Amino acid sequence: MNNIVDWDDLIVPNKDVEITKTSIFGNEVLILDNVLTEESFSNLSEVSKNLSISRYKSSGSDPGFIDARFSGVEELRPIASIVVNCVRNYWSMEVATNHGFGWAINYFKSLGTDTPFIGGNPHIDNGGGGVAALLYLNKCKVEGTALYKTNTGVSRVQHQGQEIPQNYGTDYRLTPKNFRDNFLAREVISGEPNRMIIYSEGMYHGASHTEQQHTNEYRRTLVSFYVPLFSHQDGK
């Protein structure tokens, strides 16, 4: 398929988005269900299956899995407006799209491996100072996204330089042993079709699945990042 897609026409926000505000390890997370209209989500899910993707650097030459990206999405105004409005209304913060990092669709597929793992390595995004949004694109439910608390009690960093050393390796995969050695707890948000989660970039997070999942169809998520402008509480 040609990667030139009319994203503005493809993505139609649902007028009746279901919004849940929750707290995980003391950090606020927004969960949005039925983000797009049923037809729009179905079309976007199908389009995401046929884009030209490239392996991400963390995949290396490991034959056990594919960790890939499609980074050709430069502007997704309808989804951006959903995120900006939710952050404004529920976090009392003004944000703008982070064009420095833009948009991407993440892909994961397990190819069969002898190494058991529980998901992608916990990480923060872009130094931890902004807001991230993730939309699940699979038409079937996937296990979702795990949020973590380290063995020193840290679940979120405020800015770059505060993050913990990655003693659990630089591979994509988090093994059960590395989890036990480095983390106290993990909570998983279910990856429901047409669900979006909005969270701080500084929260330790990663895809949640095992080596036995996603062996046929890619796990697909659309991610976007936002920079804070100011908080309404600042009086600006």
Side-chain angles (χ1 to χ4, degrees):
M1 172 179 283
N2 192 324
N3 281 343
I4 300 176
V5 177
D6 191 341
W7 298 99
D8 284 341
D9 288 341
L10 179 67
I11 297 173
V12 181
N14 186 357
K15 295 180 180 179
D16 298 313
V17 178
E18 301 171 21
I19 303 175
T20 303
K21 186 176 182 179
T22 188
S23 177
I24 298 179
F25 304 132
N27 303 298
E28 291 182 352
V29 176
L30 295 180
I31 302 174
L32 285 62
D33 287 305
N34 301 317
V35 173
L36 305 177
T37 65
E38 185 175 341
E39 180 182 8
S40 174
F41 175 74
S42 179
N43 291 338
L44 178 59
S45 180
E46 289 300 317
V47 165
S48 69
K49 292 180 180 179
N50 299 296
L51 297 171
S52 297
I53 61 177
S54 57
R55 284 200 176 210
Y56 192 56
K57 60 184 178 181
S58 65
S59 292
S61 58
D62 191 304
F65 65 95
I66 297 175
D67 178 24
R69 302 287 184 274
F70 171 68
S71 299
V73 187
E74 295 297 332
E75 197 62 57
L76 289 170
R77 297 180 190 89
I79 282 187
S81 66
I82 295 172
V83 178
V84 169
N85 287 335
C86 282
V87 173
R88 176 187 297 127
N89 293 333
Y90 289 87
W91 283 345
S92 298
M93 180 187 294
E94 296 290 342
V95 294
T97 305
N98 188 342
H99 292 286
F101 292 92
W103 305 77
I105 297 177
N106 293 340
Y107 294 78
F108 174 87
K109 179 184 285 187
S110 178
L111 302 178
T113 176
D114 294 331
T115 303
F117 59 94
I118 60 175
N121 264 335
H123 61 281
I124 66 170
D125 293 314
N126 308 327
V131 174
L134 183 152
L135 175 67
Y136 299 102
L137 295 177
N138 293 77
K139 289 185 179 179
C140 61
K141 176 181 176 180
V142 298
E143 189 171 350
T145 300
L147 301 169
Y148 292 84
K149 179 185 287 188
T150 71
N151 55 13
T152 58
V154 177
S155 60
R156 175 188 174 192
V157 300
Q158 301 293 330
H159 54 76
Q160 194 165 14
Q162 289 185 325
E163 54 266 43
I164 62 171
Q166 290 194 6
N167 297 324
Y168 42 89
T170 57
D171 193 322
Y172 172 94
R173 300 165 293 189
L174 179 69
T175 67
K177 181 181 185 304
N178 283 337
F179 170 72
R180 292 192 301 268
D181 290 346
N182 293 276
F183 296 93
L184 290 175
R186 73 195 292 260
E187 289 198 23
V188 178
I189 299 175
S190 175
E192 304 289 338
N194 204 9
R195 167 175 283 182
M196 176 186 285
I197 61 173
I198 303 175
Y199 54 95
S200 165
E201 291 177 336
M203 295 181 69
Y204 282 103
H205 65 280
S208 177
H209 53 78
T210 71
E211 73 281 359
Q212 301 300 320
Q213 296 173 304
H214 305 295
T215 56
N216 295 316
E217 183 177 335
Y218 281 101
R219 178 189 190 271
R220 305 186 306 280
T221 54
L222 190 153
V223 295
S224 55
F225 304 105
Y226 303 83
V227 293
L229 301 178
F230 63 86
S231 168
H232 294 305
Q233 297 173 351
D234 293 339
K236 296 181 179 179

